[in-house]
Amino acid sequence: MSIRIDQDKCVGCMKCIDVCPGSLIVEKDHKAHMRYPKDCWGCVSCVKECRFSAIDFYLGADIGGNGSTMNVSIEGDILHWIIRKKDGTITEIQVNSKDSNKY
C-alpha cells in the first residue's frame, strides 16, 4: 500500500506533510513528493487532507489488485473508501474511524 501524488494537481499547500505521521512526504520544487513510498502504511491522513485530489491511495493485490486507486470521503466518524480497480469497476468500503486504528 502506498500513495501517489499527481504533481500536475499538487498546488503546494503542503498540508499533507503536516498530517503524515511517518514524515514520508517532503517538499521539492513547491510540490509534495514521497520520500520512501514503500514505508507508507496506508493511514490515508494525507488523502483526507488534500483538497485538490492530487493524492491517490495505491492498493496492492490485497484489496483492489495492482493498479487500483482509492479516494476517501468522510461523513462524521465514517470513512468511505472508494476503490477503483484497473478494469474500472468500483468497490466501496466503509470504515468507522473510532473503531479502526488511530492516525
Side-chain angles (χ1 to χ4, degrees):
M1 294 189 275
S2 185
I3 66 166
R4 286 189 279 209
I5 302 172
D6 184 338
Q7 299 306 312
D8 294 330
K9 292 181 181 177
C10 178
V11 297
C13 69
M14 300 305 129
K15 291 182 179 182
C16 54
I17 292 175
D18 295 336
V19 297
C20 181
S23 300
L24 299 176
I25 305 173
V26 295
E27 180 182 357
K28 180 179 171 186
D29 301 324
H30 306 290
K31 303 286 183 182
H33 292 264
M34 285 298 291
R35 181 179 293 170
Y36 308 113
K38 291 182 181 179
D39 290 339
C40 175
W41 51 278
C43 72
V44 302
S45 298
C46 57
V47 178
K48 292 187 294 182
E49 194 61 40
C50 184
R51 299 294 179 248
F52 298 95
S53 300
I55 301 176
D56 283 325
F57 186 68
Y58 175 77
L59 300 166
D62 53 341
I63 297 178
N66 290 328
S68 61
T69 58
M70 181 174 78
N71 291 335
V72 177
S73 63
I74 306 166
E75 281 183 38
D77 294 328
I78 303 297
L79 304 177
H80 296 276
W81 293 7
I82 309 297
I83 301 161
R84 181 176 303 274
K85 297 179 183 178
K86 196 172 184 178
D87 66 4
T89 58
I90 295 174
T91 300
E92 180 176 348
I93 299 173
Q94 294 184 5
V95 179
N96 186 323
S97 61
K98 285 188 173 180
D99 295 336
S100 64
N101 292 333
K102 301 296 179 200
Y103 43 85

